[in-house]
Amino acid sequence: QVQLVESGGGLVQPGGSLRLSCAASGSIFSINAMGWYRQAPGKQRELVAVITNYGSADYGDAVKGRFTISRDNAKNTVYLQMNSLKPEDTAVYYCNYRSLVTKYDYWGQGTQVTVSS
């Protein structure tokens, strides 16, 4: 079992920045991917960004160039630096952990990000 603890969500003005953090604990496989997905009201969940333990990252088209994902393997923690935030970035952001050995997914409870003036 893997537990994910998210932090960093909140309210920010358009053009502002936020940094999300997600720390994984429990039965961690070192070979894994961690990242963020988001879901806005009335929309399907979408990929924000994901990064493997060896540093390979993918971004959703809507955030590419504005968001940066990084991780600290020693802390089993993934970070999402969100810059140039737009109202359409408003969503619940969910941390995801995926073992690349078992292919099993774990999800955080989600943290609300609201971009509004």
Side-chain angles (χ1 to χ4, degrees), residues 9-58:
L11 174 66
V12 66
Q13 294 184 338
S17 298
L18 283 174
R19 179 153 66 184
L20 305 183
S21 298
C22 176
S25 62
S27 185
I28 305 297
F29 286 91
S30 59
I31 305 173
N32 64 67
M34 296 184 68
W36 297 90
Y37 293 74
R38 69 186 185 186
Q39 187 166 23
K43 298 183 66 177
Q44 295 187 39
R45 184 184 64 186
E46 66 175 352
L47 170 70
V48 178
V50 63
I51 186 169
T52 67
N53 62 285
Y54 49 89
S56 179
D58 289 319

Side-chain angles (χ1 to χ4, degrees), residues 41-88:
K43 298 183 66 177
Q44 295 187 39
R45 184 184 64 186
E46 66 175 352
L47 170 70
V48 178
V50 63
I51 186 169
T52 67
N53 62 285
Y54 49 89
S56 179
D58 289 319
Y59 294 88
D61 290 341
V63 308
K64 191 173 184 179
R66 299 187 296 120
F67 293 6
T68 302
I69 192 167
S70 61
R71 62 185 291 162
D72 184 336
N73 289 338
K75 297 181 178 179
N76 293 315
T77 299
V78 63
Y79 306 93
L80 183 69
Q81 179 66 45
M82 304 185 291
N83 297 326
S84 302
L85 283 161
K86 305 173 181 179
E88 48 264 47

